[in-house]
C-alpha cells in the first residue's frame, strides 16, 4: 500500500541529545514537509523540500536540520539547540503534478524530552 | 503573525444537526484552501478543498464555502455524526503560475468538534 511512514511513533530522549525522526514515502511525491503540532497552535512548518538535494526553512526551523538525499526519505533531526523540543511531529508529502495538491500526512511521532 | 485563524477552539453539536466551522485568513495571496480532520495521536486526513475561483464546493455531507471579499471560509457538516468528532484544521496555500500548489500549507489553530448522540 502507498503511504507515508513515520517512525518511531513515540520517542523519549534526554535533554541535550540530538534525535532523528524518520519519514519515508512510497507515493512517488516530489515534495515533503515537516510540521510540528503544539496544543492550541495548530501545525507549524519546520522545513520543506520540493526536490531531492534541496530543502527550505519553514516558519520555525531554528534548532532543526533535515536532509533529502533520496526522493522517498526526509529525516528530521531535532538538535540540542531546539529550546522546546517536546511536541508531536508530522511529516507530509505532496505531488507537483496533482492539481488538487493536498498534502498527505504520516501518523506522527510524539517526541518527549526529559 | 497568524495568517490563518480559527477563532473557535471548540464546537459542540447534537447528532443530526449542522456543524459549522469557521476560518479567517489575512494573506490575500492565498488562493487555495483545504480542510483537514485529525484524531488524537494520528496524522491529519484531507477532507475537502476549494479554489479561490469558486465560492462553494460540496462532497457528500461536507460543504466548504469561500467568501473572498471577507477572507472567510467555512465548513458545513450536515447531518453531523458522532464519528465526526475530531479536530478540524483549516489550511491555505498559493497556486503557482503552472497551476499547481506545492502543498506548502499554512494552518489555523484547529477547532475541536464534538458531536453528541
Amino acid at each position: 500500500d502507498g503511504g507515508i511512514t513515520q517512525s518511531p511513533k513515540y520517542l523519549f530522549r534526554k535533554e541535550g541529545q540530538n534525535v532523528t525522526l524518520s519519514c519515508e514515502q512510497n507515493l512517488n511525491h516530489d515534495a515533503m514537509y515537516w510540521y510540528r503540532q503544539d496544543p492550541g497552535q495548530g501545525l507549524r512548518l519546520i522545513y520543506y523540500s520540493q526536490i531531492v538535494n534541496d530543502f527550505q526553512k519553514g516558519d520555525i526551523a531554528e534548532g532543526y536540520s533535515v536532509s533529502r538525499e533520496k526522493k522517498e526519505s526526509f529525516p528530521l533531526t531535532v538538535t540540542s539547540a531546539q529550546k522546546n523540543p517536546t511536541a508531536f511531529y508530522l511529516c507530509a508529502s505532496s505531488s507537483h503534478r496533482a492539481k488538487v495538491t493536498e498534502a498527505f500526512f504520516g501518523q506522527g511521532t510524539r517526541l518527549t524530552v526529559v | 503573525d497568524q495568517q490563518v485563524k480559527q477563532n473557535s477552539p471548540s464546537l459542540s453539536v447534537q447528532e443530526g444537526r449542522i456543524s459549522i466551522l469557521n476560518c479567517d485568513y489575512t494573506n490575500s495571496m492565498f488562493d487555495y484552501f483545504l480542510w483537514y480532520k485529525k484524531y488524537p495521536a494520528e496524522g491529519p486526513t484531507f477532507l475537502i478543498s476549494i479554489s479561490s475561483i469558486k465560492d462553494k464546493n460540496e462532497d457528500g455531507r461536507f460543504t466548504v464555502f469561500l467568501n473572498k471579499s471577507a477572507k472567510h471560509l467555512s465548513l458545513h457538516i450536515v447531518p453531523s455524526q458522532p464519528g465526526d468528532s475530531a479536530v478540524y484544521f483549516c489550511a491555505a496555500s498559493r497556486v503557482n503560475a503552472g497551476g499547481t500548489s506545492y502543498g506548502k500549507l499554512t494552518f489555523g489553530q484547529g477547532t475541536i468538534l464534538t458531536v453528541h448522540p
Side-chain angles (χ1 to χ4, degrees):
Chain A
D1 285 358
I4 301 177
T5 302
Q6 289 185 243
S7 60
K9 192 169 179 64
Y10 299 96
L11 190 55
F12 295 88
R13 279 294 181 268
K14 290 184 178 180
E15 193 171 345
Q17 288 182 336
N18 291 358
V19 60
T20 298
L21 282 60
S22 169
C23 179
E24 304 278 333
Q25 54 99 0
N26 59 4
L27 299 166
N28 198 33
H29 282 171
D30 306 290
M32 297 186 73
Y33 313 82
W34 276 103
Y35 289 89
R36 167 181 171 144
Q37 185 189 11
D38 296 282
Q41 295 203 48
L43 280 66
R44 293 181 292 167
L45 182 65
I46 304 172
Y47 266 99
Y48 64 103
S49 168
Q50 295 178 350
I51 57 172
V52 175
N53 292 322
D54 185 57
F55 48 83
Q56 307 293 330
K57 291 182 179 179
D59 301 318
I60 55 165
E62 185 176 352
Y64 299 98
S65 66
V66 293
S67 63
R68 186 86 186 277
E69 298 176 2
K70 298 186 302 181
K71 187 175 185 179
E72 301 81 15
S73 179
F74 192 41
L76 173 74
T77 297
V78 184
T79 74
S80 57
Q82 168 50 232
K83 295 178 181 178
N84 188 16
T86 295
F88 189 55
Y89 291 86
L90 287 158
C91 180
S93 70
S94 67
S95 170
H96 289 175
R97 285 172 284 278
K99 284 293 183 180
V100 180
T101 53
E102 72 270 19
F104 295 85
F105 283 84
Q107 292 297 294
T109 294
R110 170 74 62 185
L111 173 63
T112 303
V113 175
V114 296
Chain B
D1 177 29
Q2 189 79 27
Q3 297 187 64
V4 178
K5 298 180 183 179
Q6 294 175 254
N7 292 318
S8 297
S10 63
L11 175 68
S12 182
V13 172
Q14 197 82 26
E15 180 178 7
R17 306 294 288 268
I18 185 171
S19 296
I20 300 176
L21 296 103
N22 294 302
C23 178
D24 297 294
Y25 62 97
T26 57
N27 189 341
S28 58
M29 300 298 289
F30 289 141
D31 50 15
Y32 197 79
F33 305 91
L34 308 91
W35 284 94
Y36 281 83
K37 175 180 179 179
K38 184 182 181 300
Y39 294 114
E42 294 185 8
T45 55
F46 170 74
L47 263 182
I48 192 169
S49 63
I50 187 167
S51 165
S52 60
I53 62 173
K54 296 184 177 181
D55 54 17
K56 177 182 175 181
N57 188 27
E58 194 171 353
D59 184 2
R61 297 186 297 114
F62 302 91
T63 303
V64 56
F65 295 91
L66 175 63
N67 183 333
K68 281 181 61 180
S69 60
K71 295 189 178 68
H72 176 84
L73 64 155
S74 61
L75 175 68
H76 293 210
I77 306 173
V78 56
S80 300
Q81 300 173 353
D84 295 328
S85 297
V87 180
Y88 288 79
F89 289 100
C90 167
S93 70
R94 294 176 58 181
V95 176
N96 64 15
T100 60
S101 164
Y102 288 107
K104 180 173 173 281
L105 303 172
T106 301
F107 284 85
Q109 309 96 310
T111 297
I112 302 171
L113 173 66
T114 304
V115 180
H116 298 283

